[in-house]
Amino acid sequence: MLLGSSEAEVKKRETALKIIKSKIKKEGRSTIYDLSGLAGGFPLKKDDIDLLETYVGPALYKEKLERLGIEHLGGEKILPFNRTTAGILATILALVKPGDEVVHYLPRMPSHPATPRSVRLVGASYKEFDNIEKFRVTNNTSLVMITGSTMDHDIIRQKDFLKVVEISKSKNIPIFVDDASGARLRTVIYNQPKAIDMGADMVITSTYKLMNGPRGGIMAGKEDLIYMIKSKAYEFGLEAQPPIIAGMARALEEFNPKNMLEAFHKKNDIYKALKSTLANIKETPTGIMLSANDLMHELNRKGIKTSLSHTDIAFIFSMLLLRNYNIITITAVGMPGCSPTIRIDLASKDAERVDNDYIVSAMSEAFLKLSEVVNDKKTCENLLFGT
Ligand SMILES: *Cc1c(COP(=O)(O)O)cnc(C)c1O
């Protein structure tokens, strides 16, 4: 195994960042295609810059964010966070006591680590379900969570969502929806209602996912609950600061579902073109993906055996996409523990600058290259860590 530790993954990430920097220095930002779907952005206007002060900033942008946030998510009140992770932590700190139980329904397990980590921190117990028939709450359950769309973009079924709401409401348990990407994927691509309109008490979304905003989380919900969560957020410094608030407000102002809908159609063509060479390729709502397992199956299909692990292979593939085709995926630049699934998100801003053929040849040629190098340890190490 080449990438068995967090340190090795940090080094791989740093190598990727160095490659990106040197490519941009040589040929400019437009040489790079960030197709991670998480590129984010900071669409401030010139006049915004002078207003990013501690007190002046929130005074000015709060109202705008409140209006645009409610338009995007529904609810009575808006609460902006540094990250969705911070919003999940603040909510669990505010609503869950030691010994309570948190129950989480997802379209597919596991959850983003933010939830189980926060539950552990308060000393509560935790249970996840991805089968609606098995979902249950107990007298100890003080919070029900729902994930609208997983990290791999599995989408909850509307009727399962409504069932969880019905069960939780019958016991008066508050319902909190982690709609990090779901707030847009569910509504724009699958025409589902907003989480709040299906009965959730609170919802949070990430403003850099399928949206051109800074990394941050916006929560919406019932006024009394939002005030409880807000005071916890202030106590622990989890609330968004003026630059992020201004960036989120501008990103919401700019948000246009058209890119996502175009991506939904574009991915069909790319998927069909790749299916003949990479039989294990999968569709996501706005792109394509190949998991570490899928990549291993593809190698095995070609009769290639390797002593490398599944994740090693995925990381090497992501570095080939970056080095040879200037394509950024989460797998190349993510933090340790990030998903080893190669995901190409066509709703990314940079996707407008690449045509389908480029992506199809990058994916198939990178796979060819991968199959040539998997048994050459030196070359693999060089791809992951060499500059
Ligand atoms: C991305 C994501 C998060 C965390 O968002 P951050 O803003 O990176 O903290 C939480 N839950 C889900 C389902 C996600 O996809």
Side-chain angles (χ1 to χ4, degrees), residues 95-104 119 122-129 136-145 173-174:
L95 304 181
V96 181
K97 294 190 298 301
D100 287 356
E101 182 195 50
V102 174
V103 168
H104 196 168
V119 174
V122 299
S125 64
Y126 178 65
K127 199 146 175 51
E128 282 179 6
F129 297 91
R136 57 110 194 97
V137 294
T138 68
N139 290 334
N140 246 356
T141 312
S142 57
L143 180 68
V144 167
M145 291 206 36
I173 305 166

Side-chain angles (χ1 to χ4, degrees), residues 310-372:
H310 294 70
T311 39
D312 283 345
I313 286 173
F315 284 122
I316 293 165
F317 187 79
S318 73
M319 292 304 256
L320 284 166
L321 284 178
L322 176 61
R323 285 175 188 272
N324 299 351
Y325 306 97
N326 301 348
I327 292 175
I328 300 181
T329 54
I330 304 164
T331 320
V333 292
M335 312 286 173
C338 78
S339 162
T341 296
I342 307 289
R343 189 150 60 77
I344 301 280
D345 199 319
L346 301 164
S348 309
K349 196 167 39 147
D350 287 358
E352 284 174 13
R353 294 190 286 108
V354 267
D355 56 22
N356 293 3
D357 290 346
Y358 186 84
I359 297 173
V360 170
S361 21
M363 289 290 286
S364 32
E365 286 166 28
F367 179 73
L368 264 184
K369 190 80 198 155
L370 177 76
S371 53
E372 284 165 26

Side-chain angles (χ1 to χ4, degrees), residues 83-85 88 112 147 149 151 178 180 206 208-209 215-216:
R83 282 180 56 185
T84 287
T85 295
I88 291 172
H112 185 277
T147 286
S149 157
M151 288 175 284
D178 176 355
S206 293
Y208 66 110
K209 292 183 173 169
R215 190 169 199 175

Side-chain angles (χ1 to χ4, degrees), residues 152-153 185 190 263-264 267 271 282-290 341-346:
D152 280 343
H153 293 179
L185 283 177
Y190 296 98
F264 180 69
K267 69 110 190 258
Y271 173 75
K282 308 266 179 341
E283 292 175 81
T284 68
T286 54
I288 50 163
M289 67 177 185
L290 259 179
T341 296
I342 307 289
R343 189 150 60 77
I344 301 280
D345 199 319
L346 301 164

